[in-house]
Amino acid sequence: GAEELASRVHHYRDFLATPVRQEAKRSGDRYSAASGEIGSLLLGPVASALKTADRIFFAPDGPLYALPFDALRLPGAEGKGDAAEPLGLRTVVSRIPSATLLALARSRDDGQAPSPRFRGLAVAGGTAPERPRLRGAREEVERLGRFAGMRIGLAGTDSTPEAALRSLQGYTLLHFASHTELNDQYPWRSAVVLQPSGEEDEAWVVRAEEIATLALDARLVVLSGCESGGGNAIHGEGLQGLSSAFLAAGTQALVATLWPVDDRSTALLMAHFY
């Protein structure tokens, strides 16, 4: 039933999101057991197809929006070498809002000219009311500037938020290490909180409704903040909010988070990611 399924999915998500402070093997065994249990519940009927898949597209609905699908383990795979790995380590797993938007993204890709030369932009988040200052975010974007050749920060402090927003259109990769503001009731009012250039600058709040009006060249957008993949779920159309705004603006792929993330751990994770 939907109610029990929602309870199990959210319990599993909260389990993964909670830092574990115990002996590594024991915590690993608990993680494997939990991932195998919910994997068997949801994937049992299609396990044989998933074992041989080169790529899996996951279009969630209802309580499955909170599910980290690529963390699941296939039924009967415990302790059998590669088969015991989470799906995300076995094959490429992509979450899509709907099959309609997947088709739209593919049609855009088919009609595009060759990709422009790489231009990356990394922006640290500004301070937000009742939110901690993100020291790790500053380190995160500075590291990306040194090792990935990205530009750091938005337009100069003499620029307006509107001009800075338009400047995003020239980049092939956008990375935001910042707080996000999710609005479940009015998802297009969800926002990302950005720092223009220096730490003392007044933060700029860029809302989903503004992002959706852009014509972005980005092949990838990374929202490196807490629960940046959340929003209001509309049946058949996916989550509405920051992620759908970037997709509507033409972004071809997006990385976002399903739960609160630690500032400094995220900085290390992003270094490995790039």
Side-chain angles (χ1 to χ4, degrees):
E3 194 170 312
E4 182 181 352
L5 176 61
S7 175
R8 291 198 185 194
V9 167
H10 286 283
H11 181 75
Y12 175 63
R13 193 206 75 146
D14 292 344
F15 168 69
L16 295 185
T18 304
V20 178
R21 296 178 176 86
Q22 55 181 287
E23 194 266 324
K25 183 179 185 307
R26 184 183 171 194
S27 62
D29 290 343
R30 289 184 61 209
Y31 168 75
S32 298
S35 300
E37 179 182 354
I38 198 164
S40 297
L41 173 70
L42 295 175
L43 308 180
V46 292
S48 59
L50 295 178
K51 287 177 181 177
T52 58
D54 294 322
R55 184 161 191 154
I56 299 170
F57 292 98
F58 175 46
D61 201 12
L64 297 181
Y65 282 114
L67 181 69
F69 188 84
D70 45 343
L72 302 184
R73 284 168 163 77
L74 294 176
E78 293 79 7
K80 296 183 180 179
D82 292 342
E85 292 182 328
L87 278 176
L89 294 182
R90 293 168 47 83
T91 187
V92 178
V93 178
S94 295
R95 173 185 290 241
I96 58 174
S98 67
T100 304
L101 286 182
L102 174 62
L104 177 61
R106 284 177 160 175
S107 67
R108 285 172 174 166
D109 195 34
D110 292 342
Q112 278 190 347
S115 298
R117 181 174 60 86
F118 169 78
R119 291 189 67 214
L121 173 68
V123 184
T127 56
E130 301 179 0
R131 299 284 188 91
R133 183 177 293 275
L134 299 177
R135 300 292 184 187
R138 176 67 55 180
E139 298 173 10
E140 187 175 321
V141 299
E142 289 176 352
R143 184 181 292 115
L144 292 178
R146 292 195 302 270
F147 298 113
M150 295 190 196
R151 175 181 170 176
I152 298 176
L154 293 171
T157 53
D158 57 339
S159 179
T160 63
E162 293 77 15
L165 192 63
R166 289 194 300 271
S167 72
L168 300 179
Q169 297 176 146
Y171 292 93
T172 58
L173 190 154
L174 297 170
H175 181 99
F176 301 101
S178 62
H179 287 303
T180 56
E181 297 178 358
L182 297 181
N183 190 323
D184 290 336
Q185 187 172 6
Y186 302 104
W188 293 103
R189 299 293 291 168
S190 298
V192 57
V193 183
L194 303 179
Q195 200 78 29
S197 85
E199 282 199 25
E200 302 306 318
D201 295 337
E202 183 179 350
W204 289 347
V205 177
V206 180
R207 303 203 177 276
E209 59 189 359
E210 300 170 309
I211 295 168
T213 65
L214 301 175
L216 296 179
D217 298 317
R219 298 187 68 84
L220 176 66
V221 169
V222 178
L223 299 176
S224 176
C226 292
E227 297 179 286
S228 57
N232 185 30
I234 296 180
H235 180 65
E237 292 301 327
L239 287 175
Q240 305 301 299
L242 281 175
S243 55
S244 60
F246 278 105
L247 293 174
T251 299
Q252 294 185 4
L254 182 133
V255 174
T257 60
L258 287 176
W259 52 68
V261 293
D262 177 74
D263 183 31
R264 295 196 178 276
S265 297
T266 302
L268 294 173
L269 175 63
M270 287 294 106
H272 286 288
F273 174 76
Y274 285 103

